[in-house]
Amino acid sequence: MRIGQKVALVSMIVSAALAVLKIVTGVMAGSTSVVADGLESAGDVLASGLVFLGLTLAAKPPDWNHPYGHGRAEILTGLLVGLMLLAAGFAISFHALLLVGAVHQPPASYAIVPLIASIGIKSVMASVKYRFGKKIGSAALAADAWNDAVDIISGIAALTAVSLTLYDPERFLAADHYRGFAVGVIVIFTGLRVTRDTGLQLMDTMPDEHMMRTIRDVAQQVPGVEGIEKCYARKTGLQYHVDLHLEVDPEITVRSSHDIAEQVRNRIRRDLNWVADVLVHVEPSPRDQRRNGM
């Protein structure tokens, strides 16, 4: 099992355990904040499940009907996580506003225990997911890291709200609900960011200029390459597929130009592990036209 799948699977187990702990403790302690945070953790189980599914499908090798592989499944699951965050954010904010002004008993003091545990655990999980998401180029894993970051903010807000309510129930009884609204807004903006990033990848947006320059530099190290006419790249999952137009001496044979193109393809795939494959087009170098002033 690949590292991304392992991280997603561990995340599902941890989120499920946190969800049960917070919901049970919240009900026993009479804290709507802790119960709501537990329900949010339950949603994280679904999000991590989607990420696990996406990474599993993305690992399938290319076939006759999917010559570029199945990597887009991983990006698609990242998009679904972003949409889930948007829906959850609106639901949290709306529900919190409905409960403003409601009268209820203050929660028991032990309600803060699962919140403190959740903040610590989620901090570690978010860091691990983001690091491995960047390392393997997983949009879904990075999206799930943002989901955990939202949980950390949510947990801190819940801890603050419960603490204020315990400190002065008469003045801060509604803090629980205002906290919910604020967290909902944060979740919405996080969902928008994740949806935007994954949407751009699905639309074949080019990688940043540094990555494109790196591809060109590696290609030009091959003897016989006189220039790069065009260079395009698109993300098809965890890696990129590159279209490269090489300029070579127009007087050499077709076999020689083909050998140069094959060397470029192999060099890029060897040196850049984030490139899945390279489609090389060979073009005649315009050096003769430049020399003659044409």
Side-chain angles (χ1 to χ4, degrees):
M1 187 182 296
R2 294 186 176 182
I3 185 63
Q5 293 167 283
K6 290 180 180 179
V7 172
L9 187 59
V10 170
S11 177
M12 289 174 61
I13 297 171
V14 173
S15 293
L18 286 174
V20 172
L21 175 64
K22 285 188 276 192
I23 291 173
V24 172
T25 304
V27 170
M28 293 177 60
S31 171
T32 55
S33 264
V34 178
V35 173
D37 214 46
L39 293 174
E40 193 174 347
S41 292
D44 293 341
V45 179
L46 176 59
S48 295
L50 284 173
V51 173
F52 180 79
L53 175 63
L55 289 168
T56 301
L57 292 175
K60 293 176 61 178
D63 53 39
W64 70 271
N65 201 31
H66 301 87
Y68 292 101
H70 299 77
R72 287 287 173 89
E74 187 269 339
I75 302 176
L76 185 59
T77 55
L79 178 64
L80 292 176
V81 171
L83 294 175
M84 283 178 55
L85 285 170
L86 280 173
F90 280 111
I92 292 170
S93 295
F94 181 73
H95 182 68
L97 289 178
L98 287 179
L99 293 177
V100 171
V103 178
H104 55 82
Q105 292 294 320
S109 59
Y110 61 81
I112 65 173
V113 174
L115 295 177
I116 295 174
S118 177
I119 292 169
I121 293 171
K122 287 289 185 177
S123 296
V124 174
M125 289 174 58
S127 176
V128 170
K129 288 180 187 177
Y130 190 78
R131 180 161 58 89
F132 280 107
K134 287 294 183 182
K135 182 178 180 180
I136 66 176
S138 171
L141 206 57
D144 209 25
W146 279 107
N147 190 26
D148 283 342
V150 169
D151 291 341
I152 296 169
I153 297 172
S154 175
I156 292 173
L159 181 62
T160 303
V162 172
S163 299
L164 287 172
T165 305
L166 290 172
Y167 174 72
D168 192 340
E170 293 185 4
R171 292 178 57 192
F172 298 112
L173 195 61
D176 206 14
H177 311 308
Y178 287 119
R179 160 263 173 191
F181 176 77
V183 170
V185 173
I186 295 172
V187 173
I188 290 171
F189 278 102
T190 303
L192 286 172
R193 172 171 181 165
V194 171
T195 303
R196 173 187 174 275
D197 290 347
T198 52
L200 288 175
Q201 292 180 13
L202 289 173
M203 292 175 64
D204 289 340
T205 302
M206 293 271 283
D208 61 67
E209 182 57 32
H210 172 71
M211 297 176 74
M212 298 305 298
R213 187 167 56 252
T214 301
I215 296 172
R216 290 173 176 268
D217 290 343
V218 172
Q220 289 180 319
Q221 292 174 12
V222 176
V225 176
E226 297 191 357
I228 307 295
E229 183 188 41
K230 298 174 184 175
C231 183
Y232 305 129
R234 56 177 174 166
K235 195 171 188 185
T236 53
L238 303 181
Q239 294 176 298
Y240 287 86
H241 277 79
V242 176
D243 289 334
L244 195 64
H245 291 240
L246 290 181
E247 293 178 348
V248 301
D249 184 349
E251 302 301 325
I252 63 176
T253 64
V254 173
R255 180 180 297 276
S256 296
S257 62
H258 172 78
D259 290 343
I260 294 172
E262 191 65 18
Q263 290 177 48
V264 169
R265 176 175 177 267
N266 293 334
R267 175 73 69 88
I268 292 175
R269 295 179 66 191
R270 185 195 71 190
D271 292 357
L272 307 178
N273 60 6
W274 42 269
V275 174
D277 204 355
V278 186
L279 180 61
V280 182
H281 305 265
V282 178
E283 307 285 350
S285 171
R287 60 177 178 169
D288 291 337
Q289 290 88 333
R290 288 196 298 265
R291 186 184 301 118
N292 297 328
M294 297 178 61

